[in-house]
Amino acid sequence: MAPVKVFGPAKSTAVARVLVCLEEVGAEYEQVGVHIPAGEQKSPAHLARNPFGQVPAFQDGDLILFDLLKESNLSQSAMVDVWLEVESQTFDTAMSAITFQCLTIPTFMGGIADDKIVEENLGKLKKALEVYEARSCRFRYLAGDFISLADLSHFPMAHYLLATPHASVLDAYPHVKSWINDLMKRPAVKRVRELMEA
Ligand SMILES: *[C@@H]1O[C@H](CO)[C@@H](O)[C@H](O)[C@H]1NC(C)=O
């Protein structure tokens, strides 16, 4: 099979999610740069790959996701879906706001974080982490005792959280903290973190 092509920079959490899946299953892939500051994601060639004009776009990736979505087992795939939804509704929304304030604004925009927005979203994150803590007490991974896309989807934002001054928020949730530490030790995750920092 020809290598899967992934269009977009590894620093993008959405791209990093795709890359970690490919690494995890040992698939051959080719990363193709998309020049975001120049608006290349809105070019006709890219829109043909992703009609929303966003990164990532990828070709021939369906087979890989099938495995990490646990599609062959209905009860497993239902739990993967639930935790992907929890991620996008709670963890990701709070974390996007926190990392935008604490990393993007000071690093790329020369501004300072708005403490009120940070506090408000740390509150939302803590509420979510209580639910994750209860889950992690019972199961090794989010969807059960098997790794899935639900877990892997959390690593890019967790990677950025660890780079903010608020990494210690995890200390109050020991099972969540060890679940994240375990994720970070996976060889696939280590490789993608290197790409994110490159
Ligand atoms: C499907 O997954 C559930 C939960 O992990 C497991 O108990 C069950 O044995 C699996 N079924 C099959 C057919 O593998």
Side-chain angles (χ1 to χ4, degrees), residues 72-76 143-146:
S72 58
N73 179 319
L74 196 61
S75 69
Q76 292 186 346
D145 290 317
F146 53 91

Side-chain angles (χ1 to χ4, degrees), residues 83-84 86-87 91 125 128-129 131-133 135-137 139-159 161-162 170 173-186 189:
W83 284 93
L84 282 171
V86 171
E87 192 257 353
F91 187 81
L125 181 66
L129 290 176
V131 177
Y132 280 79
E133 181 68 12
R135 183 72 181 170
S136 309
C137 285
F139 297 98
R140 177 151 179 221
Y141 298 105
L142 288 178
D145 290 317
F146 53 91
I147 185 98
S148 73
L149 189 60
D151 306 285
L152 296 170
S153 285
H154 286 76
F155 112 78
M157 277 301 184
H159 165 86
L161 174 65
L162 298 178
L170 295 173
Y173 310 96
H175 290 85
V176 175
K177 195 173 175 177
S178 84
W179 164 70
I180 288 179
N181 285 341
D182 281 356
L183 275 183
M184 295 302 175
K185 280 189 208 137
R186 299 182 77 81
V189 171

Side-chain angles (χ1 to χ4, degrees), residues 41-79:
Q41 73 277 24
K42 305 290 180 197
S43 70
H46 192 81
L47 288 174
R49 297 186 290 256
N50 183 326
F52 295 101
Q54 293 161 340
V55 290
F58 64 120
Q59 290 171 347
D60 305 323
D62 298 1
L63 277 173
I64 284 132
L65 285 181
F66 185 86
D67 200 41
L68 286 165
L69 284 166
K70 299 285 162 192
E71 300 270 293
S72 58
N73 179 319
L74 196 61
S75 69
Q76 292 186 346
S77 84
M79 288 318 290

